[in-house]
Amino acid sequence: MSFVARRAFSSSSFNPSKVAVLGAAGGIGQPLSLLLKLNKDVTGLSLYDLRGTPGVAADLSHIPTNSKVTGYTPEKGGLKEALAGVEVVVIPAGVPRKPGMTRDDLFNTNASIVRDLAKGIAEFAPKAKVLIISNPVNSTVPIVAEVLKSKGVYDPKKVFGVTTLDVIRASRFISEVKGTNPVEETVTVVGGHSGHTIVPLISQSGHPDISGETLDALVNRIQFGGDEVVKAKDGAGSATLSMAQAGARFAGSLLKAAKGETVVEPTYVESPLFKDQGVDYFSSKVTLGPEGVKEIHPLGKLNAYEEKLIATALEDLKKNIKKGVDFVAQNP
Ligand code: NAD
Ligand code: LMR
């Protein structure tokens, strides 16, 4: 349906650049909301959390940019109000890791949080683009998709796992290896968002000369970059500030695409690339358009080293995806 038609059929409060952040008072939610407040494409910002959002919203609302900020909590239908008329919903709600934990260890807590928020989205913002940050992303994206399917409102073009943090880390880490400007480094990162499912395609980065132990160390650092932060924060959580930057970049890309700009970003979506191997979700470069996913790019030419990384990633991804799908089937 065209953008104009969607406007006509939806509520009068529909706002093409309205963004909701669910989990907005948290470690990621606050700086992410700040960055979205600074984005001139955002004209409305809805902040939802279990508590604290009225304060965060009041604080941000004094910044003189062109968006109205409102804070909501679950009381008095807060989720419904927060989701009214939004184009993009970003979800960083959920618990973060502590040292010694894997992202999968968060599943038992975060799966039900994400499922319940997805039910709200199905009811109150069924046409919104949904950006999932809550871990384990490899499983929470299928959870959201299964909930939306069960409510008859799933559009695979509109559900995204945010893997942008892996992409920005890869730019930074490769620049440290090569002594270059990170701003000019672009590394495509594909697969998923945890450990061995994170696959940087260094052969396509413009530095195909990186090899041997240097390559092993670089790939390992990109795959396990999250652990560096978890360890350094020493029990106080995981990446929040770099994640806020990554989430704001990805949400900003979708808003640019909604205005007709062509934007290409790696993101974890329902993908045809490895469906024949039983892997229904995969991150690769995606051209974004007004309706969300416009084109899913193939991986391009890989070397034997990268083929092996992909094979390992697929094994883990298959299990992570099944875990999310089974969770919704057993706990609807
Ligand atoms: P945090 O604990 O600081 O904040 C989470 C917020 O979610 C809290 O304010 C909490 O009140 C809120 N929340 C919990 N249940 C909720 C619900 N039902 N409805 C609304 N809000 C709810 O955690 P954080 O550091 O912001 O991390 C959040 C999540 O993001 C974690 O799962 C973490 O693993 C994940 N994460 C993902 C990436 C990524 O690259 N995708 C990067 C960093 C962190
Ligand atoms: C990250 O990559 O930093 C996030 O997924 C948080 C984590 O648990 O490492």
Side-chain angles (χ1 to χ4, degrees):
M1 200 186 294
S2 78
F3 182 66
V4 174
R6 267 182 60 186
R7 263 187 101 110
F9 281 110
S10 51
S11 85
S12 58
S13 66
F14 181 76
N15 177 338
S17 302
K18 186 170 175 187
V19 179
V21 179
L22 311 184
I28 295 167
Q30 291 202 38
L32 171 61
S33 301
L34 170 62
L35 293 172
L36 291 169
K37 177 67 180 141
L38 297 177
N39 183 331
K40 63 180 171 24
D41 287 335
V42 176
T43 53
L45 196 50
S46 260
L47 308 183
Y48 177 82
D49 203 309
L50 300 178
R51 61 193 75 84
T53 35
V56 177
D59 191 353
L60 288 178
S61 73
H62 292 186
I63 297 173
T65 52
N66 182 34
S67 48
K68 185 167 185 291
V69 191
T70 321
Y72 302 94
T73 52
E75 300 77 33
K76 298 186 198 151
L79 185 58
K80 179 179 180 182
E81 293 289 312
L83 291 172
V86 299
E87 169 76 7
V88 172
V89 182
V90 194
I91 312 181
V95 294
R97 283 198 286 165
K98 291 190 189 310
M101 292 172 79
T102 66
R103 292 179 184 80
D104 191 52
D105 292 335
L106 303 172
F107 186 97
N108 286 346
T109 308
N110 289 351
S112 54
I113 292 175
V114 170
R115 176 201 58 198
D116 294 346
L117 292 172
K119 286 182 187 172
I121 293 166
E123 193 171 355
F124 307 125
K127 293 198 179 293
K129 291 152 191 151
V130 187
L131 281 53
I132 299 130
I133 291 173
S134 318
N135 272 316
V137 167
N138 294 354
S139 305
T140 50
V141 169
I143 287 173
V144 170
E146 289 303 307
V147 170
L148 298 181
K149 279 181 206 171
S150 74
K151 307 284 180 193
V153 294
Y154 175 58
D155 180 348
K157 296 198 294 299
K158 292 188 170 156
V159 176
F160 304 87
V162 182
T163 57
T164 319
L165 182 53
D166 304 315
V167 174
I168 68 173
R169 278 183 182 140
S171 293
R172 177 71 215 180
F173 298 166
I174 202 168
S175 80
E176 290 179 16
V177 171
K178 298 303 288 184
T180 52
N181 180 352
V183 176
E184 287 162 13
E185 295 293 351
T186 306
V187 183
T188 300
V189 184
V190 301
H193 177 68
S194 71
H196 291 113
T197 71
I198 299 169
V199 180
L201 303 180
I202 303 298
S203 70
Q204 299 176 11
S205 68
H207 299 293
D209 56 307
I210 299 176
S211 62
E213 285 178 11
T214 309
L215 177 63
D216 289 342
L218 175 61
V219 169
N220 186 270
R221 191 169 181 212
I222 295 167
Q223 291 187 320
F224 295 93
D227 296 21
E228 279 183 27
V229 183
V230 170
K231 200 170 164 213
K233 290 200 174 178
D234 197 19
S238 56
T240 53
L241 304 172
S242 50
M243 181 60 236
Q245 159 61 15
R249 168 172 145 174
F250 191 73
S253 292
L254 272 172
L255 293 176
K256 282 186 198 159
K259 291 194 306 183
E261 275 182 52
T262 300
V263 193
V264 180
E265 293 270 13
T267 173
Y268 182 71
V269 292
E270 182 173 342
S271 169
L273 294 184
F274 294 98
K275 279 210 176 195
D276 62 346
Q277 296 182 48
V279 175
D280 288 346
Y281 298 84
F282 195 85
S283 176
S284 69
K285 282 202 276 189
V286 172
T287 300
L288 304 172
E291 297 302 320
V293 173
K294 189 169 171 192
E295 184 191 349
I296 294 173
H297 297 243
L299 299 189
K301 195 169 176 328
L302 306 183
N303 59 28
Y305 182 91
E306 290 161 350
E307 296 276 12
K308 210 168 148 206
L309 294 178
I310 294 286
T312 305
L314 290 174
E315 280 173 33
D316 280 3
L317 277 172
K318 200 186 290 187
K319 288 181 223 148
N320 297 159
I321 293 164
K322 183 174 183 317
K323 191 167 175 179
V325 172
D326 289 352
F327 173 79
V328 178
Q330 287 153 20
N331 308 275

